[in-house]
Short mmCIF file of all heavy atoms in Angstrom, two decimals:
data_model
loop_
_atom_site.label_atom_id
_atom_site.label_comp_id
_atom_site.label_asym_id
_atom_site.label_seq_id
_atom_site.Cartn_x
_atom_site.Cartn_y
_atom_site.Cartn_z
N LEU A 207 -189.30 159.51 49.38
CA LEU A 207 -190.14 159.01 48.28
C LEU A 207 -189.64 157.71 47.74
O LEU A 207 -190.39 156.98 47.12
CB LEU A 207 -190.12 160.09 47.19
CG LEU A 207 -190.80 161.44 47.59
CD1 LEU A 207 -190.69 162.39 46.42
CD2 LEU A 207 -192.28 161.28 47.93
N SER A 208 -188.35 157.42 47.89
CA SER A 208 -187.82 156.17 47.28
C SER A 208 -188.38 154.88 47.91
O SER A 208 -188.28 153.82 47.27
CB SER A 208 -186.23 156.14 47.45
OG SER A 208 -185.89 156.05 48.83
N GLN A 209 -189.08 154.98 49.09
CA GLN A 209 -189.71 153.81 49.67
C GLN A 209 -190.96 153.34 49.00
O GLN A 209 -191.51 152.27 49.23
CB GLN A 209 -189.93 154.06 51.12
CG GLN A 209 -191.02 155.14 51.42
CD GLN A 209 -191.23 155.41 52.86
OE1 GLN A 209 -191.62 154.51 53.65
NE2 GLN A 209 -190.88 156.61 53.30
N PHE A 210 -191.56 154.30 48.09
CA PHE A 210 -192.80 153.97 47.44
C PHE A 210 -192.63 153.56 46.00
O PHE A 210 -191.62 153.87 45.37
CB PHE A 210 -193.70 155.19 47.58
CG PHE A 210 -193.91 155.69 48.95
CD1 PHE A 210 -193.37 156.82 49.42
CD2 PHE A 210 -194.74 155.02 49.89
CE1 PHE A 210 -193.47 157.39 50.72
CE2 PHE A 210 -194.88 155.45 51.15
CZ PHE A 210 -194.32 156.59 51.57
N ASP A 211 -193.65 152.87 45.49
CA ASP A 211 -193.70 152.53 44.14
C ASP A 211 -194.83 153.24 43.37
O ASP A 211 -195.94 152.68 43.31
CB ASP A 211 -193.88 150.97 44.01
CG ASP A 211 -193.83 150.49 42.57
OD1 ASP A 211 -193.38 151.27 41.67
OD2 ASP A 211 -194.29 149.30 42.31
N PHE A 212 -194.58 154.40 43.03
CA PHE A 212 -195.62 155.31 42.39
C PHE A 212 -195.91 154.99 40.98
O PHE A 212 -195.01 154.69 40.19
CB PHE A 212 -195.26 156.77 42.60
CG PHE A 212 -195.16 157.28 43.94
CD1 PHE A 212 -193.93 157.77 44.47
CD2 PHE A 212 -196.23 157.35 44.76
CE1 PHE A 212 -193.87 158.20 45.77
CE2 PHE A 212 -196.12 157.74 46.09
CZ PHE A 212 -194.97 158.20 46.57
N SER A 213 -197.17 155.11 40.55
CA SER A 213 -197.56 155.01 39.09
C SER A 213 -197.68 156.39 38.56
O SER A 213 -197.55 156.52 37.31
CB SER A 213 -198.79 154.21 38.94
OG SER A 213 -198.67 152.89 39.31
N ILE A 214 -198.03 157.33 39.40
CA ILE A 214 -198.30 158.68 38.85
C ILE A 214 -197.68 159.74 39.83
O ILE A 214 -197.74 159.64 41.08
CB ILE A 214 -199.82 159.09 38.81
CG1 ILE A 214 -200.57 158.16 37.72
CG2 ILE A 214 -200.10 160.51 38.49
CD1 ILE A 214 -202.07 158.17 37.77
N SER A 215 -197.05 160.67 39.24
CA SER A 215 -196.45 161.76 40.03
C SER A 215 -196.98 163.15 39.39
O SER A 215 -196.87 163.28 38.21
CB SER A 215 -194.95 161.84 40.01
OG SER A 215 -194.36 162.98 40.62
N ILE A 216 -197.50 164.00 40.21
CA ILE A 216 -198.04 165.28 39.75
C ILE A 216 -197.44 166.42 40.59
O ILE A 216 -197.59 166.35 41.86
CB ILE A 216 -199.58 165.32 39.81
CG1 ILE A 216 -200.20 164.31 38.88
CG2 ILE A 216 -200.11 166.76 39.52
CD1 ILE A 216 -201.65 164.28 38.78
N ASP A 217 -196.76 167.29 39.99
CA ASP A 217 -196.21 168.45 40.67
C ASP A 217 -196.95 169.74 40.24
O ASP A 217 -197.00 170.09 39.04
CB ASP A 217 -194.72 168.63 40.27
CG ASP A 217 -193.91 169.63 41.09
OD1 ASP A 217 -194.43 169.91 42.22
OD2 ASP A 217 -192.89 170.06 40.66
N MET A 218 -197.68 170.39 41.21
CA MET A 218 -198.55 171.48 40.89
C MET A 218 -197.81 172.77 40.93
O MET A 218 -197.15 173.10 41.96
CB MET A 218 -199.72 171.51 41.83
CG MET A 218 -200.62 170.22 41.81
SD MET A 218 -201.45 169.97 40.31
CE MET A 218 -202.63 171.35 40.34
N HIS A 219 -197.93 173.59 39.88
CA HIS A 219 -197.27 174.92 39.74
C HIS A 219 -198.23 175.93 39.21
O HIS A 219 -199.39 175.66 38.91
CB HIS A 219 -196.12 174.84 38.84
CG HIS A 219 -194.87 174.10 39.39
ND1 HIS A 219 -193.82 174.77 39.85
CD2 HIS A 219 -194.62 172.80 39.42
CE1 HIS A 219 -192.93 173.85 40.30
NE2 HIS A 219 -193.46 172.71 40.04
N GLU A 220 -197.87 177.18 39.12
CA GLU A 220 -198.55 178.21 38.45
C GLU A 220 -197.59 179.03 37.54
O GLU A 220 -196.43 179.10 37.85
CB GLU A 220 -199.16 179.28 39.49
CG GLU A 220 -200.08 178.61 40.47
CD GLU A 220 -200.53 179.72 41.51
OE1 GLU A 220 -200.63 180.84 41.16
OE2 GLU A 220 -200.62 179.30 42.73
N ASP A 221 -198.09 179.46 36.44
CA ASP A 221 -197.37 180.29 35.50
C ASP A 221 -197.99 181.70 35.50
O ASP A 221 -199.02 181.84 35.02
CB ASP A 221 -197.25 179.72 34.12
CG ASP A 221 -196.20 180.48 33.24
OD1 ASP A 221 -196.13 181.69 33.42
OD2 ASP A 221 -195.55 179.79 32.52
N VAL A 222 -197.23 182.70 36.03
CA VAL A 222 -197.72 184.03 36.27
C VAL A 222 -197.99 184.79 34.93
O VAL A 222 -198.62 185.87 34.98
CB VAL A 222 -196.92 184.88 37.22
CG1 VAL A 222 -196.86 184.22 38.55
CG2 VAL A 222 -195.46 184.92 36.65
N ASP A 223 -197.55 184.31 33.84
CA ASP A 223 -197.66 184.90 32.54
C ASP A 223 -198.85 184.40 31.72
O ASP A 223 -199.02 184.80 30.60
CB ASP A 223 -196.38 184.82 31.76
CG ASP A 223 -195.23 185.49 32.42
OD1 ASP A 223 -195.52 186.59 32.98
OD2 ASP A 223 -194.13 184.92 32.41
N PHE A 224 -199.58 183.47 32.30
CA PHE A 224 -200.66 182.79 31.52
C PHE A 224 -202.05 182.97 32.06
O PHE A 224 -202.20 182.99 33.24
CB PHE A 224 -200.35 181.30 31.33
CG PHE A 224 -199.37 180.94 30.32
CD1 PHE A 224 -198.02 181.22 30.44
CD2 PHE A 224 -199.74 180.45 29.09
CE1 PHE A 224 -197.06 180.91 29.45
CE2 PHE A 224 -198.81 180.14 28.05
CZ PHE A 224 -197.50 180.44 28.24
N ASN A 225 -202.98 183.05 31.19
CA ASN A 225 -204.47 183.08 31.54
C ASN A 225 -205.11 181.68 31.47
O ASN A 225 -206.23 181.53 31.96
CB ASN A 225 -205.22 184.06 30.61
CG ASN A 225 -205.24 185.44 31.14
OD1 ASN A 225 -205.54 185.66 32.36
ND2 ASN A 225 -204.85 186.43 30.31
N GLU A 226 -204.39 180.72 30.83
CA GLU A 226 -204.97 179.40 30.72
C GLU A 226 -203.84 178.45 31.05
O GLU A 226 -202.72 178.68 31.06
CB GLU A 226 -205.52 179.17 29.27
CG GLU A 226 -206.62 180.13 28.92
CD GLU A 226 -206.99 180.00 27.48
OE1 GLU A 226 -206.08 180.11 26.58
OE2 GLU A 226 -208.20 179.84 27.17
N ALA A 227 -204.35 177.16 31.44
CA ALA A 227 -203.38 176.12 31.86
C ALA A 227 -202.61 175.44 30.80
O ALA A 227 -203.01 175.43 29.64
CB ALA A 227 -204.20 175.16 32.72
N TYR A 228 -201.56 174.76 31.20
CA TYR A 228 -200.81 173.92 30.35
C TYR A 228 -200.06 172.87 31.25
O TYR A 228 -200.03 173.02 32.50
CB TYR A 228 -199.89 174.58 29.36
CG TYR A 228 -198.70 175.29 30.00
CD1 TYR A 228 -197.46 174.69 30.21
CD2 TYR A 228 -198.84 176.64 30.48
CE1 TYR A 228 -196.41 175.36 30.79
CE2 TYR A 228 -197.79 177.34 30.98
CZ TYR A 228 -196.54 176.66 31.13
OH TYR A 228 -195.57 177.35 31.73
N CYS A 229 -199.52 171.81 30.68
CA CYS A 229 -198.92 170.72 31.42
C CYS A 229 -197.78 170.17 30.71
O CYS A 229 -197.81 169.96 29.46
CB CYS A 229 -200.02 169.69 31.68
SG CYS A 229 -199.40 168.19 32.54
N TYR A 230 -196.69 169.88 31.45
CA TYR A 230 -195.56 169.03 30.95
C TYR A 230 -195.94 167.56 31.32
O TYR A 230 -196.12 167.35 32.49
CB TYR A 230 -194.28 169.43 31.64
CG TYR A 230 -193.76 170.77 31.15
CD1 TYR A 230 -194.09 172.00 31.90
CD2 TYR A 230 -192.92 170.96 29.96
CE1 TYR A 230 -193.60 173.22 31.51
CE2 TYR A 230 -192.48 172.25 29.64
CZ TYR A 230 -192.83 173.33 30.42
OH TYR A 230 -192.30 174.57 29.98
#
Side-chain angles (χ1 to χ4, degrees):
L207 295 176
S208 68
Q209 67 183 296
F210 304 106
D211 183 16
F212 296 115
S213 294
I214 295 172
S215 173
I216 296 184
D217 192 20
M218 301 294 291
H219 287 258
E220 301 175 35
D221 192 322
V222 297
D223 296 321
F224 278 75
N225 271 308
E226 296 173 309
Y228 65 94
C229 175
Y230 292 92

